[in-house]
Amino acid sequence: MQQPVRIRVDADTEVSGFFVVPSCTRACYVFAPGAGAGIEHPFMQAIAAGLGERDIATLRYQFPYMEKGSKRPDPPPVCHKTVRAAIDQAQRLVPAGPLIAGGKSFGGRMTSQAQAMRSLPGTAGLAFLGFPLHLAGKPSVERAAHLSDIKMPMLFLQGTRDALADLSLLKPLISTLGTHATLKIIEGADHSFHVPVRSGRTDRDVLEELLDSFTQWLTTL
């Protein structure tokens, strides 16, 4: 069942969220959307519904700029504060279960930055739905420099056609993170986890692979 929630970021700011809790809950994924999306994006809804079917609760939430209808992302400190507020809310909603934090693209990167700066309380791991390693057409690893400061399990779910994550750069980078990092490659998927018709697969097939990979990784924590 999906419940709308309000998350207090500071004295002047609240953001929207949706809490989905199955009848039997073994963990909760606290996740934020990509920079150009929102919590009602079909992909975000599908991830929450699919994890719920696998007994994983979810709390997905907006950043303040999304709440205002702006297309310009908030400065990182504002995003980091929002990540922490969402984690605090999840701890109240699921007091007995481990928390996994992360998100789609920008949401995942803001979460990893927040964790690298100061540990997110109650969080057992981070899961990224397409980590945005660099801008499209501008391969670089600078955005990932902070990942070496994170000493907890991390799951990277990445498509082979992701224009924001050149696998020839991402694979060796993840290798340097050692046992903390797990890379799951989704064949044929782009940054939105869409696959072309010629691949012989459907976006639903990809979604199921994402959900199953997340669930399997969770059992290893």
Side-chain angles (χ1 to χ4, degrees):
M1 183 174 66
Q2 178 169 284
Q3 306 170 17
V5 298
R6 298 293 294 173
I7 299 169
R8 172 67 64 180
V9 178
D10 56 34
D12 302 313
T13 308
E14 276 190 350
V15 295
S16 302
F18 284 119
F19 178 52
V20 177
V21 56
S23 56
C24 180
T25 301
R26 52 176 166 163
C28 180
Y29 183 38
V30 187
F31 69 121
I39 56 175
E40 297 194 62
H41 189 279
F43 179 80
M44 298 290 286
Q45 295 185 46
I47 290 293
L51 289 179
E53 292 170 357
R54 291 161 173 79
D55 296 330
I56 301 169
T58 55
L59 175 61
R60 64 190 196 271
Y61 60 95
Q62 310 262 57
F63 288 112
Y65 79 95
M66 298 174 179
E67 197 77 7
K68 298 172 185 175
S70 172
K71 294 184 178 181
R72 183 174 182 176
D74 301 301
V78 174
C79 294
H80 301 161
K81 184 185 290 188
T82 307
V83 170
R84 294 188 180 281
I87 291 292
D88 288 345
Q89 182 86 320
Q91 285 188 299
R92 290 189 290 271
L93 292 169
V94 191
L99 302 180
I100 306 301
K104 178 73 183 81
S105 194
F106 177 79
R109 185 163 66 94
M110 291 299 103
T111 302
S112 61
Q113 287 181 357
Q115 170 64 30
M117 295 176 69
R118 178 163 51 92
S119 293
L120 299 169
T123 303
L126 304 179
F128 308 112
L129 303 168
F131 188 86
L133 186 61
H134 51 73
L135 296 174
K138 297 183 178 180
S140 169
V141 296
E142 292 179 8
R143 283 183 170 183
H146 66 282
L147 295 177
S148 60
D149 295 325
I150 298 175
K151 307 304 180 185
M152 66 163 50
M154 291 177 280
L155 173 65
F156 294 80
L157 295 159
Q158 302 287 159
T160 57
R161 296 172 52 246
D162 191 337
L164 276 62
D166 186 329
L167 288 179
S168 69
L169 296 177
L170 185 63
K171 285 181 178 179
L173 184 148
I174 287 179
S175 294
T176 67
L177 301 176
T179 57
H180 291 300
T182 299
L183 173 61
K184 171 60 179 177
I185 295 175
I186 310 297
E187 190 63 40
D190 62 14
H191 190 63
S192 297
F193 294 104
H194 170 70
V195 287
V197 175
R198 66 177 181 277
S199 71
R201 306 173 75 202
T202 67
D203 289 356
R204 184 69 200 183
D205 293 334
V206 169
L207 176 65
E208 291 297 320
E209 185 176 358
L210 286 172
L211 295 167
D212 289 343
S213 298
F214 184 104
T215 306
Q216 177 57 39
W217 170 76
L218 186 63
T219 67
T220 69
L221 300 186

